[in-house]
Structure formats: C-alpha cells, structure tokens
C-alpha cells in the first residue's frame, strides 16, 4: 500500500530518538513544548528537572518558584500553573504514578489528545497517534487526508495507517516538517517523497 510505504520512508529518513521515557518527565516536557521551539523546551525541561525530579517535589512548589526555570519555553505563567496542578493531581489521585490510559490522561488540566498520545507512545510503548500541526499539514499536503483540524486528521490517519506506525510517524513528521516540508516554503526539490505528494503548490 502506497501510504504505508511513504510513511516508512518518512520514518527511515527522519528518525526521532526519544531518549527520555519517564512518563512524568515526558508529560511535563510536552506541556512545556506547547508553542515553543524544541531547543527552548529542552533548556526549560532541564532547568526544571534539575531542581524538581518527581511529581511529589513539584506538587509542593509554588508557581513563582518555577517561573525562571521554565521561562525559556515561553508562556511561563500559564505553564507553571498547569505543571503544578498536574503534579498535585498525579500525587493526590494517582499516588504519584502517571496513568497509562488516554481517558485518564485527558482528565489532566491542559492535556489534550496530542500530549496524551505522546505519553502513551513514548513512555508506555502503546499504539498512539499524536497529531500536531506538522502531522496535520503534511498529511493534507500528501493527499492522505482532506481535513480541517488535527483531531479530524488523527481519526482519518488511524483508519489508513497500520498501528505499528502510529507512534513513530509523529516524531518523524515533526523532523520532516522542520527540515523539509516546512509550513511556509517547503523544500520540495530535496524532498525524498516528492513523487508521492499530491500538493498542488509543489514546486
Ligand atoms: Fe512537502 Fe513538498 Fe515533499 Fe510535498 S513534495 S511532502 S509539499 S516537501
């Protein structure tokens, strides 16, 4: 099937290594990553986890205690509030253990389907398809889907992609979207899957 073949090409050409698998750190880092560049997210996450290593420690912090630490990731007041709220819930409701189900993860404040699916795949090795702006844009350009929202894209992709590709396609499409199939001016000339792409703006 062509879609499966092209998805595998993206995964092979743009691998993404998830070094950190600790569910709490993956969850909080994904919250930090919202509207932040990867390099800034990494700095903020490192600052934060150098000082607070567990949900128990973070649940006792005050929002202002972590402002400076997470400032590099932007929206630091809003993110500090969420991170501490999430930490408190993980401690009080889940005894310090991040839940491994989509349903429970979605109950956490500020945690949407993308964040929940990243945690399920990266930390719990479950088949979970995280759709962010890169996955949404590229899937539409390729002609795999014709959708308006990332959520719609997620459900369509689950119908057409084999389950074993759901997890890895996210990280690889993010890399592909940053390096080649950029939001503005995609570099179609060097694109390894150009011949399979149905985008009419292709140059
Ligand atoms: Fe993106 Fe261009 Fe490649 Fe199509 S050909 S996937 S638009 S970079």
């Amino acid at each position: 099937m062509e879609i499966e073949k092209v998805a595998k090409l993206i995964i092979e050409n743009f691998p993404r290594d998830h070094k950190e698998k600790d569910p709490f750190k993956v969850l909080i880092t994904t919250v930090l990553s919202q509207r932040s560049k990867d390099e800034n997210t990494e700095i903020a996450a490192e600052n934060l986890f150098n000082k607070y290593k567990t949900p128990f420690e973070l649940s006792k912090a005050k929002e202002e205690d972590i402002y400076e630490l997470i400032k590099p990731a932007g929206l630091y007041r809003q993110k500090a509030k969420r991170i501490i709220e999430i930490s408190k819930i993980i401690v009080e409701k889940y005894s310090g253990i991040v839940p491994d189900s989509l349903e429970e993860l979605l109950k956490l404040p500020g945690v949407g389907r993308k964040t929940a699916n990243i945690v399920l795949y990266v930390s719990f090795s479950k088949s979970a398809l995280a759709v962010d702006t890169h996955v949404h844009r590229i899937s539409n350009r390729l002609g795999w889907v014709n959708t308006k929202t990332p959520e719609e894209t997620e459900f369509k992709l689950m119908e057409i992609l084999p389950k074993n590709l759901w997890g890895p396609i996210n990280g690889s499409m993010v890399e592909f979207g940053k390096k080649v199939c950029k939001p503005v001016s995609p570099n179609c000339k060097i694109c390894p899957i150009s011949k399979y792409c149905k985008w009419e703006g292709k140059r």
Side-chain angles (χ1 to χ4, degrees):
M1 205 172 107
E2 185 173 288
I3 290 178
E4 182 176 348
K5 182 176 155 189
V6 177
K8 283 181 177 166
L9 277 173
I10 296 172
I11 292 165
E12 277 162 29
N13 281 283
F14 301 91
R16 173 107 166 188
D17 187 18
H18 296 283
K19 292 189 193 92
E20 181 61 72
K21 297 201 186 302
D22 175 272
F24 182 65
K25 290 184 179 170
V26 172
L27 172 62
I28 299 301
T29 303
T30 311
V31 171
L32 283 172
S33 75
Q34 289 159 6
R35 301 207 200 170
S36 169
K37 290 187 172 170
D38 277 3
E39 50 273 31
N40 296 333
T41 303
E42 275 171 31
I43 296 168
E46 199 181 329
N47 290 345
L48 184 66
F49 297 133
N50 276 341
K51 187 152 186 207
Y52 301 95
K53 303 205 183 309
T54 66
F56 296 97
E57 291 174 13
L58 252 177
S59 66
K60 290 184 198 124
K62 293 194 177 68
E63 288 172 31
E64 7 352 330
D65 295 340
I66 68 169
Y67 281 169
E68 282 305 314
L69 301 173
I70 66 167
K71 216 171 199 171
L75 301 173
Y76 63 94
R77 286 175 189 272
Q78 185 186 322
K79 288 178 182 175
K81 187 172 187 296
R82 285 217 178 124
I83 286 169
I84 291 174
E85 272 174 11
I86 290 173
S87 303
K88 283 184 178 159
I89 296 171
I90 302 264
V91 167
E92 287 160 16
K93 191 171 169 195
Y94 301 99
S95 310
I97 296 166
V98 174
D100 66 351
S101 80
L102 182 66
E103 195 189 4
E104 292 302 311
L105 285 166
L106 290 177
K107 289 180 188 165
L108 297 169
V111 173
R113 298 186 67 86
K114 181 194 83 171
T115 300
N117 280 325
I118 287 175
V119 174
L120 291 174
Y121 169 63
V122 175
S123 301
F124 298 112
S125 301
K126 296 200 172 188
S127 299
L129 212 165
V131 174
D132 64 358
T133 54
H134 292 291
V135 179
H136 176 59
R137 177 183 72 257
I138 296 166
S139 301
N140 273 281
R141 280 181 177 169
L142 285 168
W144 290 0
V145 298
N146 181 11
T147 51
K148 297 266 182 289
T149 64
E151 190 167 325
E152 214 187 319
T153 303
E154 180 191 330
F155 291 113
K156 286 281 176 198
L157 286 180
M158 285 197 289
E159 287 171 19
I160 58 178
L161 276 179
K163 261 189 162 187
N164 64 321
L165 302 183
W166 291 4
I169 198 67
N170 168 269
S172 293
M173 274 204 183
V174 170
E175 292 299 315
F176 178 48
K178 287 196 299 189
K179 291 175 182 152
V180 181
C181 193
K182 299 173 190 176
V184 181
S185 306
N187 203 343
C188 304
K189 288 201 178 90
I190 61 155
C191 176
I193 54 166
S194 171
K195 68 175 174 180
Y196 304 105
C197 178
K198 314 245 179 336
W199 188 46
E200 53 192 32
K202 195 168 72 168
R203 283 164 288 166

